[in-house]
Amino acid sequence: ERNGGPPESQYRVAFEQIGPAPANATARAGLRTSEAGTVLRLWVENLPAGAEDIYEVWCDAEGWSASAGTFKVDAQGNAYVILTTAVKRGQYDRIRLVRRERLADGKVETHDILGANLS
């Protein structure tokens, strides 16, 4: 039992491929509802690892999306990050990872790559 409030609400999600990513690309997250929203502990492996690439985590509901933040991966495409979004469980029903890839001509392409439905 913790002092000073109700116990933390934690749940886990596994992601599946929804766009262009290596077949062995994986992501999993531990989500904890907090006073500020949702704290997301995210582990990713084998994602495309361009030096200029940035990943963003989106929490989606019907008609809108909220960002949980951005991160980069190492040369092997791996990362562990802790992000916070202001939305709480029940306010969104899907999480997706989006890759922003800088192309040789300087343009940026955006791809949804991994996603998870919350039950």
Side-chain angles (χ1 to χ4, degrees):
E1 180 178 325
R2 291 181 13 203
N3 294 332
E8 294 178 348
S9 170
Q10 183 155 350
Y11 47 107
R12 297 172 197 265
V13 294
F15 291 74
E16 57 190 36
Q17 195 162 337
I18 59 173
N24 64 343
T26 61
R28 61 189 169 87
L31 306 172
R32 181 175 48 82
T33 300
S34 71
E35 300 242 345
T38 302
V39 177
L40 184 138
R41 296 166 55 116
L42 178 68
W43 294 263
V44 298
E45 295 179 346
N46 303 310
L47 295 181
E52 301 279 324
D53 294 357
I54 294 176
Y55 288 88
E56 188 163 14
V57 178
W58 288 93
C59 299
D60 298 327
E62 190 171 333
W64 66 271
S65 296
S67 175
T70 60
F71 65 95
K72 293 188 121 203
V73 296
D74 66 16
Q76 290 73 44
N78 303 332
Y80 167 68
V81 294
I82 300 174
L83 305 168
T84 302
T85 181
V87 294
K88 296 185 179 187
R89 187 173 188 185
Q91 295 179 307
Y92 58 98
D93 52 21
R94 183 162 179 77
I95 300 173
R96 67 190 155 92
L97 297 182
V98 176
R99 176 186 183 205
R100 287 199 182 111
E101 176 185 12
R102 185 170 300 278
L103 304 176
D105 62 6
K107 293 181 182 170
V108 174
E109 278 191 0
T110 302
H111 303 281
D112 292 354
I113 57 164
L114 297 171
N117 290 317
L118 305 180
S119 50

PDB file of all heavy atoms in Angstrom, residues 10 20 23-24 26 28 36 38 47 66-67 70 78 81 83 88 97 101 103 116:
ATOM      1  N   GLN A  10      -1.597   0.324 -13.800  1.00  0.00           N
ATOM      2  CA  GLN A  10      -0.610   0.019 -14.832  1.00  0.00           C
ATOM      3  C   GLN A  10      -1.140  -1.071 -15.742  1.00  0.00           C
ATOM      4  O   GLN A  10      -1.832  -1.973 -15.300  1.00  0.00           O
ATOM      5  CB  GLN A  10       0.707  -0.436 -14.205  1.00  0.00           C
ATOM      6  CG  GLN A  10       1.763  -0.682 -15.259  1.00  0.00           C
ATOM      7  CD  GLN A  10       3.166  -0.545 -14.736  1.00  0.00           C
ATOM      8  OE1 GLN A  10       3.385  -0.095 -13.644  1.00  0.00           O
ATOM      9  NE2 GLN A  10       4.122  -0.953 -15.523  1.00  0.00           N
ATOM     10  N   PRO A  20       5.451   0.339 -43.075  1.00  0.00           N
ATOM     11  CA  PRO A  20       6.765  -0.122 -43.536  1.00  0.00           C
ATOM     12  C   PRO A  20       7.784  -0.197 -42.402  1.00  0.00           C
ATOM     13  O   PRO A  20       8.244   0.814 -41.896  1.00  0.00           O
ATOM     14  CB  PRO A  20       7.166   0.924 -44.578  1.00  0.00           C
ATOM     15  CG  PRO A  20       6.397   2.153 -44.213  1.00  0.00           C
ATOM     16  CD  PRO A  20       5.115   1.672 -43.588  1.00  0.00           C
ATOM     17  N   ALA A  23      10.402  -6.935 -40.652  1.00  0.00           N
ATOM     18  CA  ALA A  23       9.517  -7.961 -40.093  1.00  0.00           C
ATOM     19  C   ALA A  23       9.830  -8.230 -38.617  1.00  0.00           C
ATOM     20  O   ALA A  23       8.952  -8.616 -37.852  1.00  0.00           O
ATOM     21  CB  ALA A  23       9.628  -9.245 -40.899  1.00  0.00           C
ATOM     22  N   ASN A  24      11.091  -8.017 -38.211  1.00  0.00           N
ATOM     23  CA  ASN A  24      11.476  -8.296 -36.823  1.00  0.00           C
ATOM     24  C   ASN A  24      11.388  -7.056 -35.924  1.00  0.00           C
ATOM     25  O   ASN A  24      11.815  -7.086 -34.775  1.00  0.00           O
ATOM     26  CB  ASN A  24      12.878  -8.905 -36.761  1.00  0.00           C
ATOM     27  CG  ASN A  24      13.964  -7.955 -37.262  1.00  0.00           C
ATOM     28  OD1 ASN A  24      13.687  -6.968 -37.947  1.00  0.00           O
ATOM     29  ND2 ASN A  24      15.205  -8.272 -36.942  1.00  0.00           N
ATOM     30  N   THR A  26       9.896  -4.670 -33.284  1.00  0.00           N
ATOM     31  CA  THR A  26       8.956  -4.905 -32.192  1.00  0.00           C
ATOM     32  C   THR A  26       8.906  -3.685 -31.281  1.00  0.00           C
ATOM     33  O   THR A  26       9.853  -2.902 -31.206  1.00  0.00           O
ATOM     34  CB  THR A  26       9.348  -6.123 -31.329  1.00  0.00           C
ATOM     35  OG1 THR A  26      10.628  -5.888 -30.735  1.00  0.00           O
ATOM     36  CG2 THR A  26       9.386  -7.397 -32.144  1.00  0.00           C
ATOM     37  N   ARG A  28       6.961  -2.707 -27.247  1.00  0.00           N
ATOM     38  CA  ARG A  28       6.051  -3.013 -26.148  1.00  0.00           C
ATOM     39  C   ARG A  28       6.103  -1.841 -25.187  1.00  0.00           C
ATOM     40  O   ARG A  28       7.095  -1.109 -25.132  1.00  0.00           O
ATOM     41  CB  ARG A  28       6.392  -4.327 -25.462  1.00  0.00           C
ATOM     42  CG  ARG A  28       7.759  -4.379 -24.851  1.00  0.00           C
ATOM     43  CD  ARG A  28       8.123  -5.786 -24.378  1.00  0.00           C
ATOM     44  NE  ARG A  28       9.522  -5.861 -24.042  1.00  0.00           N
ATOM     45  CZ  ARG A  28      10.017  -5.564 -22.848  1.00  0.00           C
ATOM     46  NH1 ARG A  28       9.226  -5.197 -21.864  1.00  0.00           N
ATOM     47  NH2 ARG A  28      11.306  -5.637 -22.623  1.00  0.00           N
ATOM     48  N   ALA A  36      -0.965  13.488 -14.011  1.00  0.00           N
ATOM     49  CA  ALA A  36      -0.643  14.309 -15.179  1.00  0.00           C
ATOM     50  C   ALA A  36      -1.170  13.716 -16.485  1.00  0.00           C
ATOM     51  O   ALA A  36      -1.173  14.388 -17.499  1.00  0.00           O
ATOM     52  CB  ALA A  36       0.870  14.499 -15.278  1.00  0.00           C
ATOM     53  N   THR A  38      -0.794   9.996 -18.712  1.00  0.00           N
ATOM     54  CA  THR A  38      -0.279   8.635 -18.833  1.00  0.00           C
ATOM     55  C   THR A  38       1.236   8.679 -18.988  1.00  0.00           C
ATOM     56  O   THR A  38       1.751   9.399 -19.834  1.00  0.00           O
ATOM     57  CB  THR A  38      -0.882   7.914 -20.062  1.00  0.00           C
ATOM     58  OG1 THR A  38      -2.305   7.905 -19.951  1.00  0.00           O
ATOM     59  CG2 THR A  38      -0.380   6.481 -20.161  1.00  0.00           C
ATOM     60  N   LEU A  47      13.954  -1.233 -35.235  1.00  0.00           N
ATOM     61  CA  LEU A  47      13.282  -0.244 -36.076  1.00  0.00           C
ATOM     62  C   LEU A  47      14.285   0.305 -37.092  1.00  0.00           C
ATOM     63  O   LEU A  47      15.488   0.256 -36.868  1.00  0.00           O
ATOM     64  CB  LEU A  47      12.748   0.909 -35.223  1.00  0.00           C
ATOM     65  CG  LEU A  47      11.655   0.570 -34.220  1.00  0.00           C
ATOM     66  CD1 LEU A  47      11.217   1.825 -33.489  1.00  0.00           C
ATOM     67  CD2 LEU A  47      10.480  -0.101 -34.878  1.00  0.00           C
ATOM     68  N   ALA A  66      -3.233  12.734 -29.732  1.00  0.00           N
ATOM     69  CA  ALA A  66      -2.368  13.496 -28.826  1.00  0.00           C
ATOM     70  C   ALA A  66      -0.984  12.868 -28.843  1.00  0.00           C
ATOM     71  O   ALA A  66      -0.850  11.649 -28.751  1.00  0.00           O
ATOM     72  CB  ALA A  66      -2.934  13.481 -27.405  1.00  0.00           C
ATOM     73  N   SER A  67       0.039  13.687 -28.947  1.00  0.00           N
ATOM     74  CA  SER A  67       1.409  13.182 -28.938  1.00  0.00           C
ATOM     75  C   SER A  67       1.842  12.847 -27.521  1.00  0.00           C
ATOM     76  O   SER A  67       1.506  13.551 -26.569  1.00  0.00           O
ATOM     77  CB  SER A  67       2.353  14.237 -29.510  1.00  0.00           C
ATOM     78  OG  SER A  67       3.696  13.796 -29.408  1.00  0.00           O
ATOM     79  N   THR A  70       8.636  12.382 -28.627  1.00  0.00           N
ATOM     80  CA  THR A  70       9.510  11.880 -29.682  1.00  0.00           C
ATOM     81  C   THR A  70      10.734  11.201 -29.085  1.00  0.00           C
ATOM     82  O   THR A  70      11.098  11.446 -27.936  1.00  0.00           O
ATOM     83  CB  THR A  70       9.966  13.021 -30.609  1.00  0.00           C
ATOM     84  OG1 THR A  70      10.669  13.990 -29.834  1.00  0.00           O
ATOM     85  CG2 THR A  70       8.791  13.679 -31.310  1.00  0.00           C
ATOM     86  N   ASN A  78      17.234   0.193 -31.702  1.00  0.00           N
ATOM     87  CA  ASN A  78      16.692  -0.078 -30.374  1.00  0.00           C
ATOM     88  C   ASN A  78      16.615   1.197 -29.535  1.00  0.00           C
ATOM     89  O   ASN A  78      17.426   2.108 -29.698  1.00  0.00           O
ATOM     90  CB  ASN A  78      17.565  -1.092 -29.636  1.00  0.00           C
ATOM     91  CG  ASN A  78      17.723  -2.392 -30.397  1.00  0.00           C
ATOM     92  OD1 ASN A  78      16.861  -2.778 -31.176  1.00  0.00           O
ATOM     93  ND2 ASN A  78      18.828  -3.057 -30.179  1.00  0.00           N
ATOM     94  N   VAL A  81      12.575   4.372 -23.743  1.00  0.00           N
ATOM     95  CA  VAL A  81      12.263   5.753 -23.388  1.00  0.00           C
ATOM     96  C   VAL A  81      11.083   5.791 -22.427  1.00  0.00           C
ATOM     97  O   VAL A  81      10.262   4.876 -22.392  1.00  0.00           O
ATOM     98  CB  VAL A  81      11.948   6.621 -24.635  1.00  0.00           C
ATOM     99  CG1 VAL A  81      13.171   6.779 -25.519  1.00  0.00           C
ATOM    100  CG2 VAL A  81      10.798   6.049 -25.443  1.00  0.00           C
ATOM    101  N   LEU A  83       8.008   8.400 -21.701  1.00  0.00           N
ATOM    102  CA  LEU A  83       7.308   9.561 -22.231  1.00  0.00           C
ATOM    103  C   LEU A  83       6.039   9.788 -21.416  1.00  0.00           C
ATOM    104  O   LEU A  83       5.519   8.865 -20.794  1.00  0.00           O
ATOM    105  CB  LEU A  83       6.931   9.326 -23.697  1.00  0.00           C
ATOM    106  CG  LEU A  83       8.082   8.956 -24.640  1.00  0.00           C
ATOM    107  CD1 LEU A  83       7.542   8.469 -25.974  1.00  0.00           C
ATOM    108  CD2 LEU A  83       9.010  10.133 -24.842  1.00  0.00           C
ATOM    109  N   LYS A  88      -5.461  10.434 -20.473  1.00  0.00           N
ATOM    110  CA  LYS A  88      -5.517   9.293 -19.567  1.00  0.00           C
ATOM    111  C   LYS A  88      -6.234   8.129 -20.222  1.00  0.00           C
ATOM    112  O   LYS A  88      -6.959   8.297 -21.201  1.00  0.00           O
ATOM    113  CB  LYS A  88      -6.239   9.674 -18.268  1.00  0.00           C
ATOM    114  CG  LYS A  88      -5.496  10.738 -17.484  1.00  0.00           C
ATOM    115  CD  LYS A  88      -6.172  11.009 -16.165  1.00  0.00           C
ATOM    116  CE  LYS A  88      -5.369  12.058 -15.403  1.00  0.00           C
ATOM    117  NZ  LYS A  88      -5.866  12.248 -14.057  1.00  0.00           N
ATOM    118  N   LEU A  97       3.248   4.229 -33.379  1.00  0.00           N
ATOM    119  CA  LEU A  97       4.587   4.786 -33.553  1.00  0.00           C
ATOM    120  C   LEU A  97       4.700   5.289 -34.981  1.00  0.00           C
ATOM    121  O   LEU A  97       4.382   4.570 -35.926  1.00  0.00           O
ATOM    122  CB  LEU A  97       5.665   3.726 -33.330  1.00  0.00           C
ATOM    123  CG  LEU A  97       5.765   3.114 -31.947  1.00  0.00           C
ATOM    124  CD1 LEU A  97       6.914   2.121 -31.911  1.00  0.00           C
ATOM    125  CD2 LEU A  97       5.963   4.179 -30.898  1.00  0.00           C
ATOM    126  N   GLU A 101      11.201  10.211 -41.567  1.00  0.00           N
ATOM    127  CA  GLU A 101      12.434   9.848 -42.264  1.00  0.00           C
ATOM    128  C   GLU A 101      12.878  10.995 -43.159  1.00  0.00           C
ATOM    129  O   GLU A 101      12.105  11.485 -43.975  1.00  0.00           O
ATOM    130  CB  GLU A 101      12.158   8.591 -43.105  1.00  0.00           C
ATOM    131  CG  GLU A 101      13.302   8.149 -43.962  1.00  0.00           C
ATOM    132  CD  GLU A 101      12.915   6.974 -44.861  1.00  0.00           C
ATOM    133  OE1 GLU A 101      11.709   6.660 -44.988  1.00  0.00           O
ATOM    134  OE2 GLU A 101      13.824   6.392 -45.450  1.00  0.00           O
ATOM    135  N   LEU A 103      14.788  12.178 -46.257  1.00  0.00           N
ATOM    136  CA  LEU A 103      15.248  11.594 -47.508  1.00  0.00           C
ATOM    137  C   LEU A 103      16.484  12.323 -48.024  1.00  0.00           C
ATOM    138  O   LEU A 103      16.820  13.415 -47.562  1.00  0.00           O
ATOM    139  CB  LEU A 103      14.120  11.658 -48.551  1.00  0.00           C
ATOM    140  CG  LEU A 103      12.805  11.003 -48.129  1.00  0.00           C
ATOM    141  CD1 LEU A 103      11.741  11.219 -49.195  1.00  0.00           C
ATOM    142  CD2 LEU A 103      13.003   9.527 -47.850  1.00  0.00           C
ATOM    143  N   ALA A 116      -0.879  -0.334 -31.545  1.00  0.00           N
ATOM    144  CA  ALA A 116      -1.477  -1.220 -30.552  1.00  0.00           C
ATOM    145  C   ALA A 116      -2.869  -0.692 -30.196  1.00  0.00           C
ATOM    146  O   ALA A 116      -3.045   0.498 -29.964  1.00  0.00           O
ATOM    147  CB  ALA A 116      -0.624  -1.287 -29.292  1.00  0.00           C
TER     148      ALA A 116
END
